[in-house]
Amino acid sequence: MTGGGLILVVEDSEEDTEAIQRALSRSHPFLDLEFAPRSEDVLPRLLDPAARTPDLLLLDLNMPGMDGLTLLSSLRAHTACASLTVVVFTSSTASAEEDACYAAGADSYIYKPVNFELFQTVLQGAMDFWLPRAADGAVTAAPPAAPPA
């Protein structure tokens, strides 16, 4: 028993994968991270009844092959994945892409900062907000972390 949740990270960039791993190991060392470098592998993984269900999916948009938006639409088309929390974590700042992600069913759209400290702060805030916490037997979400002054 790890005592933490499972985050499925859909990310093809080795640099971003390493940064996500470093950032979350510092802010949320109790989390289990699973990485999927290809979008095509995610839906079969999520529909596998023997596989552990992630608490949150962290999704990059700009992926080779099937892009993140197409994956998001595919996930939301399956009732088994409809309630999965999906946080888009991307380098794209295009408002049209953000709108398309929300229309496709994203729970959140977050821009990947280049600066590692800000990258870590943004990820920490997303995890604190979206991961449910057990408090007195009730599941609640923590408020987002305040950015450093």
Side-chain angles (χ1 to χ4, degrees):
M1 175 88 173
T2 59
L6 174 64
I7 308 301
L8 179 57
V9 181
V10 184
E11 174 62 67
D12 65 310
S13 163
E14 289 183 27
E15 295 82 15
D16 286 350
T17 296
E18 183 180 326
I20 290 166
Q21 209 163 17
R22 272 191 11 228
L24 290 179
S25 70
R26 292 176 185 181
S27 67
H28 295 81
F30 55 88
L31 289 177
D32 291 327
L33 301 177
E34 181 181 332
F35 291 90
R38 296 171 19 99
S39 294
E40 292 84 359
D41 299 334
V42 174
L43 192 56
R45 158 48 184 99
L46 292 172
L47 296 176
D48 179 356
R52 183 175 167 197
T53 302
D55 298 288
L56 183 144
L57 190 133
L58 194 62
L59 177 63
D60 184 28
L61 285 184
N62 302 314
M63 304 278 292
M66 179 191 299
D67 65 19
L69 182 58
T70 303
L71 173 60
L72 177 59
S73 296
S74 297
L75 291 175
R76 293 309 190 214
H78 287 274
T79 55
C81 302
S83 64
L84 178 63
T85 299
V86 177
V87 174
V88 174
F89 192 54
T90 183
S91 56
S92 175
T93 59
S95 60
E97 279 192 335
E98 182 177 355
D99 292 344
C101 286
Y102 281 121
D107 294 292
S108 186
Y109 186 98
I110 301 171
Y111 176 71
K112 287 180 192 171
V114 176
N115 173 287
F116 182 72
E117 284 185 29
L118 188 53
F119 184 96
Q120 183 175 346
T121 300
V122 166
L123 263 181
Q124 178 179 351
M127 295 303 111
D128 288 346
F129 183 81
W130 288 107
L131 288 176
R133 291 188 188 182
D136 298 325
V139 177
T140 60

